[in-house]
Amino acid sequence: NAGVTQTPKFRILKIGQSMTLQCTQDMNHNYMYWYRQDPGMGLKLIYYSVGAGITDKGEVPNGYNVSRSTTEDFPLRLELAAPSQTSVYFCASSVVYEQYFGPGTRLTVT
Amino acid sequence: AQRVTQPEKLLSVFKGAPVELKCNYSYSGSPELFWYVQYSRQRLQLLLRHISRESIKGFTADLNKGETSFHLKKPFAQEEDSAMYYCALVETSGSRLTFGEGTQLTVNP
């Protein structure tokens, strides 16, 4: 199993641009999550999903959107990039409690 | 609201010395607590969970409900233990994890 994969690994965006961060898992997990990791701030939950077709907001959802059309995929959309969205983004999946993380996407907005 | 606090952002010890990474939590119910670790240039991974009462890589953590703490301990630190450590809590009725801010552990030779 590849586990949780994320693309791209790195991206630089200009202010106001849009992009989608891709996340795929091959473990047939129902739960999926998006976090952002800022230096000294730990991980903050952006959005999560408990199954295909069901999504919900986490702590810091503003400026992001998600969809969950399949069990495997959970893309994160940034519509109008802002410098405050410069961060490392992690996707994760789980069955119950243990979460499996992807390698992360480092995003810079200038 | 549930909250996890890791009071030390940075912790530095010498190889062979004992190490303790502190974690305190606030949660009104009965929590499930975890330690996750992120080695340099690697993805975050589960180190241990309190319900399994395991020792992983020499690390142990005991849940102290009276002090609402879940400190991570190792009697003899190794250089390969250098990493970022996150304490996390999940409400027993759900799956969402709440993470602490992390402690960067450096083990010096």
Side-chain angles (χ1 to χ4, degrees), chain B residues 3-5 7 20-27 31-35 50 61-73 87-89:
Chain B
R3 184 179 174 85
V4 177
T5 304
E20 180 179 69
L21 291 83
K22 291 184 168 50
C23 172
N24 291 93
Y25 68 90
S26 62
Y27 181 60
E32 298 289 348
L33 284 148
F34 304 83
W35 278 98
H50 92 271
D62 289 319
L63 178 60
N64 185 323
K65 291 187 178 181
E67 296 182 357
T68 60
S69 69
F70 187 55
H71 303 328
L72 184 68
K73 300 176 184 179
C87 183
L89 175 157

Side-chain angles (χ1 to χ4, degrees), chain A residues 2-5 31 33 35 37-38 40-45 48 50 56-59 90 94-104, chain B residues 2-3 6 9 30 32 34 36 38 41-47 49 51 84 86 90-102:
Chain A
V4 180
T5 57
Y31 298 96
Y33 314 82
Y35 296 91
Q37 183 185 40
D38 300 321
M41 300 296 289
L43 282 87
K44 300 292 186 187
L45 182 65
Y48 68 104
V50 300
D56 208 348
K57 296 178 181 179
E59 297 176 76
F90 289 98
S94 72
V95 174
V96 184
Y97 298 136
E98 179 175 353
Q99 293 193 10
Y100 295 81
F101 284 80
Chain B
Q2 56 200 51
R3 184 179 174 85
Q6 294 178 247
K9 287 195 190 307
S30 184
E32 298 289 348
F34 304 83
Y36 279 80
Q38 187 177 26
R41 300 185 181 279
Q42 293 187 28
R43 64 185 70 192
L44 207 67
Q45 58 188 288
L46 180 67
L47 180 62
R49 70 192 83 178
I51 55 174
M84 178 70 87
Y86 290 98
V90 64
E91 56 191 78
T92 50
S93 61
S95 65
R96 291 175 50 169
L97 279 173
T98 298
F99 284 88
E101 293 179 356

Side-chain angles (χ1 to χ4, degrees), chain A residues 8-25:
Chain A
K9 285 188 168 50
F10 306 94
R11 184 72 185 268
I12 298 175
L13 279 183
K14 293 191 187 305
I15 294 171
Q17 286 185 321
S18 307
M19 78 163 293
T20 299
L21 283 68
Q22 302 291 346
C23 175
T24 300
Q25 54 95 5

